[in-house]
Amino acid sequence: MSKQNSNDDKNNNFFNKNPLITFAIFSIVIIMLFKGLVGDGSAFNANNGTSTSRSKQVSYSEFKGLIESKSLSKVEIGQSYIKAKSADGMIYTTRLIPGDVNLVSLLDSKGIDYSGFSETNWFTEMFGWLFPFLLIIGIWMFFAGRMQKSMGGGILGMGNSKKMINSEKPDTKFDDVAGVEEAKEEVQEIVDFLKYPARYVEIGAKIPKGVLLVGSPGTGKTLLAKAVAGEADVPFFSVNGSSFIEMFVGVGAARVRDLFEQAKKDAPSIIFIDEIDAIGKSRAAGGMMGGNDEREQTLNQLLAEMDGFGTDTPVIILAATNRPEVLDAALLRPGRFDRQVLVDKPDFEGRVKILKVHMKSVKMDDDVEIDEIARLTAGLAGADLANIINEAALLAGRKSQKTVKQSDLFESVERAIAGLAKKSRRINPKEKKIVAYHESGHALLAETTDGAKKVSKVSIVPRGLAALGYTLNKPEEDRFMMQRFEMWAEVDVLLGGRAAEEVFIGEISTGAGNDLERSTDIIKSMVQTYGMTDVAGLMVLEKSRQSFIGGGQQATREYSDKMAEEMDNFIKSSLEEHYGSVIKRLEEYKGAIENMVELLYEKENITGDEVREIIVNFEKENNLKSKVIESVNEIKEELKEDAKMVKKDVKDEDQTS
Ligand code: ADP
Ligand code: ZN
């Protein structure tokens, strides 16, 4: 911990640590003090201080006797008791008997001066109201304080927000960040500037002040920012956008001020703001909650700070987000975050590089084929890959191996993709049967449909909470586009699960819900977005969303009701049509499915090769023309040919368009 912290510990006495107790004691003392001092609203209280010894509690009948004997000069009637003053200055009090309606007429008849009084006074009354509120505030402050403490701050840490700001000098280098070559190139200039600011300042070059790193979680944005600091050998101030949003208005702004103050003091330096959308969300978009003052103040302070220093001050602000579209436009203006660097999910080659980076620190067996792992992990981010290797190392360790084997990596990949294996979760035999047929249906369609992705594994071991079984498809290359027949093929594969349930079980289940949703979405996007159907022709009904998913912007419908109806009809009828042909295929391959299910029952997991073998054998036995398009060997060949194919593909594309 820092020096600042140890200083604070010295000052921390009991009361500082227990604000609630302090507060409660304080309140009680105050209340008691004032209750004693002020008393009630009676006029007799004026001489309370001097004549307390001359007051007497009497019974009601005694009191009545006093009235009768006319020895009272004045009577005050409260809500629950009566005070009376006798001629000689003695004060009598008695409890009021509420039912005594004759009291007033008795006083009248004796000609005694009487009046009413309120037993409470403004102060106790007010305190009675205020106390619960104060108590709630006290409790709230207590918990807020604990929360802040657990985050490294202290109670009411408005002044000492410096504690929240930690700087380090990372030794991360560009070599540690793999698979994002373009992004690295783009930030290279910043490294140069931080290293040799004078060069740039002399020439008068304008260096960007703020750079927005845009990409999905775990793609290495933080890592890249650190590497910039590491390469330039400058301090790295890192904060999370959400940590600025505190319960107390004004704290966030103060933190921003402190952050910039320190970074400028230590310049050249880097400020990294992770999840900047927490502060920088568009003010227009965030209006639902009636505006967030704290966030707005923090944002304004950030803007003011960024405008406040010139491009000759070597402080660079890097900010990360995966939702640039929600950011306030003010943040993106020139002189602020006017540059965006895409830190994308890695492609095949990128994944190989990232895997290699993380394998450096782990003992790998000779049987490890990085390419194969990279193939299986299309769509995963760097953080997932790092995790996979670590998981594999843990698996190997558990099995007391000296090195991490390919099989460990496979298992780890499966876990990452399909969620943690829940071997302990038993599914009942009926469910198992449904799942086996369902997944076999997917697998058969995947292997016998032109344009479908090949199966790499079929499993009926439940994983995670949702999936009872799963079929892993092998993406042979990174898909950045799909042809129409491939999309239809995917629809068929998705429908294969439900169709198998119908054909082989004779009843359908909820297990196909997700499949149906996805197949519907595919057809919808063909109509709406890709101009692949006659329904809307080339007309686009819905603009493709921003590529950074999660923006959640509600698209407004820009087409007629009739068009909507036609689209619905088209989706429904093509699902029916495809479902029909899928059923036919399954009936044709009944024996193959039965064999697959048998093997699944035996082994719970079967490989893509086993699936293909079963199908090809079945086709041979029944003299069917094989629909399994590539044999196992051909697939392997194809992978090797990948590199050469890329060039040829490009040529083909040019010619066919
Ligand atoms: P982000 O900030 O984009 O959410 P991080 O930088 O925090 O992602 O990534 C978390 C971890 O994942 C890193 O510390 C690193 O171990 C690993 N990682 C992510 N991307 C990469 C990459 N491109 N190269 C190497 N490792 C990566
Ligand atoms: Zn399914």
Side-chain angles (χ1 to χ4, degrees):
M1 282 278 150
S2 70
K3 277 179 208 155
Q4 269 167 329
N5 272 354
S6 59
N7 264 343
D8 280 353
D9 288 343
K10 249 183 270 166
N11 301 336
N12 260 355
N13 55 31
F14 173 80
F15 291 110
N16 277 352
K17 279 182 188 154
N18 297 281
L20 182 61
I21 294 171
T22 318
F23 178 78
I25 293 173
F26 178 74
S27 319
I28 291 166
V29 167
I30 296 249
I31 289 175
M32 294 202 320
L33 221 82
F34 275 88
K35 277 228 155 168
L37 274 181
V38 181
D40 57 37
S42 161
F44 298 164
N45 288 316
N47 29 18
N48 241 5
T50 51
S51 58
T52 36
S53 57
R54 294 178 47 80
S55 70
K56 194 180 171 196
Q57 183 101 26
V58 293
S59 72
Y60 196 68
S61 53
E62 274 178 287
F63 171 70
K64 277 201 153 172
L66 285 168
I67 297 175
E68 296 286 353
S69 65
K70 285 192 184 179
S71 56
L72 298 177
S73 64
K74 190 172 165 48
V75 170
E76 287 192 347
I77 304 166
Q79 288 97 329
S80 65
Y81 67 101
I82 302 171
K83 282 184 175 188
K85 204 175 187 178
S86 67
D88 58 359
M90 186 77 176
I91 294 169
Y92 299 95
T93 56
T94 186
R95 295 202 70 81
L96 178 69
I97 295 190
D100 189 358
V101 286
N102 297 323
L103 179 63
V104 170
S105 46
L106 181 65
L107 288 167
D108 274 337
S109 69
K110 300 292 171 191
I112 298 171
D113 180 31
Y114 63 92
S115 58
F117 78 97
S118 163
E119 283 168 26
T120 55
N121 59 64
W122 67 270
F123 186 84
T124 43
E125 204 150 85
M126 193 188 75
F127 217 89
W129 278 99
L130 224 54
F131 186 70
F133 283 109
L134 290 176
L135 194 69
I136 289 167
I137 292 173
I139 292 171
W140 174 61
M141 272 173 18
F142 174 66
F143 282 109
R146 294 188 82 170
M147 262 162 63
Q148 279 199 354
K149 237 178 242 171
S150 68
M151 297 184 322
I155 176 75
L156 299 176
M158 316 210 184
N160 47 17
S161 58
K162 287 186 180 78
K163 255 187 279 175
M164 298 290 295
I165 302 159
N166 44 346
S167 84
E168 53 172 321
K169 268 203 168 180
D171 34 295
T172 312
K173 291 282 148 62
F174 276 157
D175 278 348
D176 299 321
V177 195
V180 286
E181 305 311 321
E182 280 168 42
K184 277 201 267 184
E185 260 167 47
E186 289 198 54
V187 293
Q188 178 62 48
E189 168 184 272
I190 294 169
V191 174
D192 261 22
F193 171 65
L194 292 171
K195 259 186 177 162
Y196 317 106
R199 276 188 208 168
Y200 289 81
V201 174
E202 271 164 33
I203 284 183
K206 280 212 169 57
I207 283 291
K209 262 190 224 173
V211 176
L212 201 58
L213 305 175
V214 177
S216 319
T219 47
K221 299 180 289 296
T222 311
L223 195 66
L224 183 65
K226 258 191 198 168
V228 171
E231 290 281 343
D233 195 27
V234 300
F236 180 73
F237 293 88
S238 144
V239 290
N240 191 298
S242 57
S243 76
F244 282 120
I245 309 305
E246 283 290 327
M247 275 153 281
F248 298 104
V249 173
V251 179
R255 285 209 179 121
V256 171
R257 211 176 307 126
D258 288 340
L259 172 66
F260 275 79
E261 202 177 286
Q262 287 211 16
K264 279 192 273 190
K265 209 171 69 199
D266 290 0
S269 61
I270 293 242
I271 294 176
F272 176 66
I273 308 176
D274 204 357
E275 294 178 42
I276 193 168
D277 29 308
I279 359 174
K281 224 179 280 170
S282 160
R283 280 169 279 198
M288 289 291 283
M289 306 272 286
N292 183 335
D293 277 352
E294 168 64 350
R295 204 187 57 213
E296 203 157 302
Q297 277 198 20
T298 308
L299 175 59
N300 285 335
Q301 187 65 36
L302 177 64
L303 297 176
E305 292 291 346
M306 289 189 80
D307 296 343
F309 65 89
T311 41
D312 52 347
T313 308
V315 175
I316 304 270
I317 303 120
L318 300 174
T321 182
N322 65 335
R323 307 191 299 164
E325 74 282 353
V326 305
L327 291 181
D328 199 294
L331 263 178
L332 308 175
R333 294 224 180 90
R336 295 169 183 168
F337 293 100
D338 50 5
R339 197 180 285 198
Q340 298 199 6
V341 171
L342 194 62
V343 187
D344 225 349
K345 281 194 179 162
D347 58 6
F348 170 71
E349 223 173 281
R351 291 197 301 277
V352 171
K353 285 183 189 160
I354 294 172
L355 287 168
K356 278 182 180 159
V357 165
H358 289 278
M359 282 177 179
K360 263 187 218 154
S361 52
V362 179
K363 284 206 183 79
M364 297 311 234
D365 199 278
D366 289 339
D367 79 340
V368 169
E369 279 181 44
I370 298 178
D371 283 21
E372 205 164 346
I373 302 303
R375 289 255 174 249
L376 284 170
T377 48
L380 297 195
D384 303 321
L385 298 175
N387 210 17
I388 282 170
I389 292 177
N390 189 48
E391 284 281 320
L394 290 174
L395 280 172
R398 215 172 297 152
K399 290 185 260 178
S400 312
Q401 290 166 201
K402 290 240 159 39
T403 53
V404 174
K405 295 204 164 70
Q406 185 78 343
S407 57
D408 303 320
L409 285 167
F410 272 143
E411 196 170 338
S412 184
V413 167
E414 274 161 25
R415 286 186 185 196
I417 290 175
L420 281 175
K422 283 218 167 179
K423 293 216 164 123
S424 56
R425 181 179 158 180
R426 266 184 56 82
I427 53 170
N428 68 44
K430 191 171 140 196
E431 276 175 346
K432 189 174 167 186
K433 185 176 170 191
I434 297 173
V435 172
Y437 279 105
H438 180 107
E439 298 304 332
S440 300
H442 283 313
L444 183 100
L445 265 295
E447 288 303 330
T448 58
T449 308
D450 191 14
K453 292 180 200 128
K454 302 295 133 214
V455 175
S456 73
K457 176 176 173 173
V458 185
S459 172
I460 55 168
V461 179
R463 262 151 216 269
L465 284 175
L468 289 174
Y470 59 94
T471 303
L472 283 182
N473 294 315
K474 189 182 258 173
E476 268 144 45
E477 61 203 69
D478 291 302
R479 305 308 301 262
F480 293 113
M481 73 155 115
M482 273 176 103
Q483 285 176 301
R484 183 173 48 188
F485 79 104
E486 290 168 329
M487 293 178 87
W488 283 124
E490 193 158 337
V491 170
D492 286 356
V493 174
L494 285 166
L495 293 176
R498 154 61 63 94
E501 287 180 42
E502 191 173 328
V503 172
F504 296 93
I505 311 275
E507 175 61 299
I508 50 187
S509 77
T510 55
N514 186 255
D515 298 336
L516 298 180
E517 191 181 321
R518 277 166 63 200
S519 45
T520 306
D521 282 348
I522 290 171
I523 304 176
K524 197 180 236 171
S525 71
M526 290 167 82
V527 178
Q528 285 189 322
T529 313
Y530 300 116
M532 286 177 172
T533 65
D534 292 335
V535 180
L538 296 176
M539 186 172 135
V540 170
L541 304 186
E542 179 168 298
K543 294 185 189 81
S544 62
R545 298 268 168 89
Q546 280 276 341
S547 53
F548 306 104
I549 304 154
Q553 285 159 316
Q554 196 61 47
T556 47
R557 216 180 79 176
E558 291 171 347
Y559 48 90
S560 64
D561 288 348
K562 188 169 162 279
M563 184 68 87
E565 201 183 317
E566 274 176 34
M567 178 165 74
D568 289 347
N569 288 338
F570 176 79
I571 294 173
K572 187 160 176 278
S573 65
S574 22
L575 281 171
E576 268 160 21
E577 194 184 305
H578 279 259
Y579 190 66
S581 71
V582 167
I583 295 249
K584 248 192 223 151
R585 177 89 46 81
L586 289 175
E587 273 163 351
E588 191 181 6
Y589 280 81
K590 244 180 182 166
I593 294 274
E594 297 290 4
N595 291 342
M596 259 187 253
V597 168
E598 200 176 306
L599 196 61
L600 266 176
Y601 259 71
E602 187 188 315
K603 298 172 64 179
E604 297 205 328
N605 292 328
I606 59 177
T607 65
D609 288 349
E610 285 168 325
V611 169
R612 285 179 281 277
E613 200 184 315
I614 288 172
I615 298 174
V616 171
N617 284 343
F618 176 82
E619 284 170 337
K620 273 186 201 147
E621 282 162 23
N622 293 278
N623 295 319
L624 289 169
K625 185 174 172 292
S626 180
K627 286 200 170 71
V628 179
I629 293 124
E630 289 119 334
S631 76
V632 181
N633 286 334
E634 273 170 357
I635 292 175
K636 282 189 180 158
E637 272 309 303
E638 196 186 289
L639 289 180
K640 281 183 197 156
E641 293 283 311
D642 239 8
K644 288 178 211 163
M645 297 288 282
V646 172
K647 280 177 198 157
K648 192 174 158 291
D649 274 354
V650 173
K651 252 190 222 159
D652 286 354
E653 240 165 61
D654 286 347
Q655 282 158 8
T656 47
S657 63

